[in-house]
Amino acid sequence: MSKGIVLLAAGGTGGHVFPAEALAFKLKERGYSVHLVTDSRAERYAGKFPAEEIHVVPSATIGSKNPVAVARSLWTLWSGMRAAKKLIQRLRPVIVVGFGGYPTVPPLLAATRLGVPSMIHEQNAVMGRANKALATRVQAIAGGFLPEGGAAFPDKTVTTGNPVRPAIIAAAEVPYTPSHPGEAFNLVVFGGSQGAQYFSKALPTAISLLDDALRVRLRITQQVRPEDMEMVSGCVAKLEMGADIAPFFTDMAERLAKAHLVICRSGASTVSEISVIGRPAVLVPYPHALDHDQAANAAALAVTGGAKVIAQSELSPEKIAAILTAVMNDPEKLSHMAAAAKLAGKPDAANLLADMVEAIAAGRTIAEFKRTRA
C-alpha cells in the first residue's frame, strides 16, 4: 500500500528533470507513488522517469517587456494555476516538490494556496528565477550548492547536494590512479551544446602545441556537436593520437572514472558528478549563463581545491597547452585535486533529499529536521 502521492514539478530540461528523477526512484523505494508535473519538452524523459503519470499544465515565463506579451503570459500562468489546483485536489499529494523552471510555478503556487506542504530544490549556487519567486511561499528549500548559513533563506535552507544517477555512484567506487610520466593520460572534455563548440575549436590547437612526448601520452574523450565532428576528427587524425570523438557517450560515467583530468563547463549536474567521483577538473563556466550560475557552481568546487576555474575569455589554446604540460608532469598535484574534489562530493544527496521530503510532508519544521541531522 502506498504511503501517499508525492507530486514533483520540474521544467522540461535535463538539469531540472534528472535530480527529480533521482529523487523519484528513492521515494518509490520508500513506498510512495510519484507523479510529475512538467511541460511538453520533458516527453523525451517519459520513458524512464518512474512516475505513475506525467501531467502537463499551462505555464509561461515573463521575459518580455511588451504589454501584450506580458498579459498573455499572466493569463497562461493563471490558467496553469487553475489546472494545477484541480490536479492537486484530485491527487491529494502529501507534498509538492519543485525543481526549478517556469513549469514549477503554477503547481507550487496552487499547493501553497491549498495548504499542501511544499518545498523546492535548487541545483545551482545561484537561485533561478522560478525558485526565487517561490522561495518565500514554500516551507523548505533544498540546495545543491546553496550554503545554509549564507543563503537568502537560512532558516528554511538545507544543503542536500544534487542527486546523481546510479552510474555515477558506481563510478565513485573507482579510486583515482595517477598517470606518471611516460604513462597514458586520459583527458575527458565535454560541455553543453554551446560549450562543446568552444572546446572543439580550442582543444585541437592546444594539443598541437604540446611536446611530442606529452602528446603521445594523451588518450582523449571529447564530446562535440554533430556539425563539428568532421573538423575535430580531422585534427585528431593529423595529430596521429588516440581519441574518441562523439556527440554523446552512453558510458560517460565510466570514462570519467578513468579520467586523469576533466575539462568542461560547470553546470550543476556536471560539477556534482565530478565531485562525487572525485576527479580533478579545469572548469570553464559558460559566459552567457543566466545569473552567472555556472561561475558560482565552479567556485564552490574550486574553493575546496578540487578544480581550477578559468574564464573562457582568458583560456587560449596556449594556456590550455601550458596547463596540460604542467599537470601531466605533476601527478601528485592531480592526486591532491582528486582527493579534494571527492571530499566536496555528496553521494548521498538523493537519500538526504528524500529524508527532507518525508519530514516536510509529515509536518516537521526545518529546525526539527536539522536537529535530527546534528
Side-chain angles (χ1 to χ4, degrees):
M1 183 177 176
S2 172
K3 290 183 178 179
I5 291 174
V6 175
L7 183 60
L8 305 182
T13 64
H16 297 309
V17 174
F18 291 149
E21 180 186 325
L23 173 63
F25 277 111
K26 289 296 178 185
L27 291 173
K28 297 272 283 189
E29 289 174 6
R30 298 185 185 197
Y32 292 89
S33 297
V34 176
H35 286 240
L36 174 67
V37 179
T38 184
D39 60 26
S40 57
R41 293 176 298 167
E43 290 176 358
R44 75 191 83 168
Y45 309 112
K48 60 182 179 179
F49 199 101
E52 311 296 325
E53 195 174 343
I54 295 178
H55 311 273
V56 175
V57 299
S59 189
T61 181
I62 304 174
S64 172
K65 294 182 179 179
N66 183 305
V68 175
V70 170
R72 189 180 296 118
S73 294
L74 288 173
W75 174 254
T76 302
L77 284 168
W78 174 250
S79 300
M81 196 163 69
R82 289 181 63 188
K85 183 179 178 181
K86 290 180 180 179
L87 177 66
I88 291 170
Q89 288 173 327
R90 176 169 66 84
L91 295 178
R92 297 182 181 276
V94 296
I95 188 170
V96 179
V97 186
F99 283 84
Y102 59 85
T104 64
V105 175
L108 267 294
L109 286 179
T112 58
R113 291 193 174 189
L114 290 169
V116 177
S118 61
M119 59 177 279
I120 54 176
H121 178 275
E122 173 56 58
Q123 295 85 49
N124 293 292
V126 177
M127 191 173 284
R129 288 181 294 175
N131 276 346
K132 201 176 291 184
L134 296 166
T136 59
R137 298 173 178 268
V138 298
Q139 279 105 324
I141 301 168
F145 293 101
L146 294 175
E148 294 179 24
F153 305 93
D155 294 338
K156 59 169 74 174
T157 301
V158 175
T159 305
T160 59
N162 287 314
V164 296
R165 50 207 167 103
I168 295 295
I169 298 297
E173 298 297 319
V174 180
Y176 182 77
T177 304
S179 168
H180 296 281
E183 298 176 345
F185 187 95
N186 297 323
L187 175 65
V188 176
V189 183
F190 66 98
S193 58
Q194 305 276 355
Q197 179 184 32
Y198 171 75
F199 294 139
S200 293
K201 294 178 179 178
L203 259 294
T205 303
I207 292 162
S208 71
L209 298 174
L210 293 175
D211 291 342
D212 290 344
L214 292 178
R215 189 162 58 247
V216 297
R217 290 175 58 195
L218 278 176
R219 303 291 183 271
I220 298 176
T221 290
Q222 185 169 355
Q223 177 203 39
V224 302
R225 302 185 311 165
E227 55 265 44
D228 294 334
M229 277 289 296
E230 185 176 350
M231 175 189 71
V232 178
S233 298
C235 292
V236 167
K238 288 180 182 178
L239 294 170
E240 298 181 343
M241 58 180 299
D244 288 335
I245 310 297
F248 183 76
F249 292 95
T250 58
D251 61 344
M252 183 58 88
E254 290 85 349
R255 291 173 184 269
L256 286 172
K258 295 175 182 176
H260 295 110
L261 179 69
V262 180
I263 300 178
C264 60
R265 292 300 194 193
S266 51
S269 294
T270 296
V271 175
S272 297
E273 291 183 354
I274 291 170
S275 58
V276 166
I277 297 175
R279 294 298 178 264
V282 174
L283 300 177
V284 187
Y286 179 53
H288 307 299
L290 189 66
D291 299 323
H292 302 291
D293 52 344
Q294 287 209 5
N297 297 341
L301 184 55
V303 74
T304 71
K308 182 178 179 66
V309 183
I310 305 177
Q312 181 174 304
S313 61
E314 300 173 3
L315 191 65
S316 64
E318 290 78 11
K319 188 158 188 173
I320 296 173
I323 290 170
L324 288 173
T325 298
V327 298
M328 291 176 74
N329 288 317
D330 193 353
E332 187 175 347
K333 179 178 180 179
L334 286 183
S335 293
H336 287 314
M337 289 180 68
K342 189 143 193 169
L343 283 174
K346 296 185 182 297
D348 203 37
N351 273 319
L352 179 54
L353 184 57
D355 290 345
M356 190 173 170
V357 169
E358 288 194 291
I360 301 305
R364 290 164 57 197
T365 65
I366 282 298
E368 290 171 331
F369 178 71
K370 286 182 177 181
R371 281 198 294 272
T372 65
R373 295 174 62 210

